[in-house]
């Protein structure tokens, strides 16, 4: 049985790869679609990965 942590980690990893690819193409403009500051988005992602 797949644990919820594995599913959440796979989802966050997929999202992070997409963000990285998008950032390489569009630079810092990508942060506008998240509705927050770049530093806040990085902080949230780092906390999620630390928890998982």
């Amino acid at each position: 049985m797949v644990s919820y942590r594995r599913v959440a980690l796979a989802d966050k990893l997929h999202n992070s790869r997409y963000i990285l690819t998008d950032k390489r193409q569009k630079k810092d403009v990508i942060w506008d679609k998240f509705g927050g500051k770049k530093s806040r988005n990085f902080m949230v992602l780092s906390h999620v990965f630390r928890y998982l």
Side-chain angles (χ1 to χ4, degrees), residues 8-14 16 44-52:
L9 182 59
D11 178 56
K12 295 304 175 193
L13 182 59
H14 176 268
S16 296
V44 169
L45 282 174
S46 69
H47 284 290
V48 167
F49 280 113
R50 193 173 313 135
Y51 174 76
L52 294 173

Side-chain angles (χ1 to χ4, degrees), residues 22-36:
D22 214 18
K23 180 168 181 355
R24 287 179 178 157
Q25 295 172 355
K26 300 177 184 172
K27 307 298 179 203
D28 283 337
V29 176
I30 66 162
W31 300 114
D32 294 342
K33 69 177 155 186
F34 293 105

Side-chain angles (χ1 to χ4, degrees), residues 1-12 48 51-52:
M1 185 170 171
V2 178
S3 74
Y4 70 92
R5 283 188 175 179
R6 285 184 182 177
V7 172
L9 182 59
D11 178 56
K12 295 304 175 193
V48 167
Y51 174 76
L52 294 173

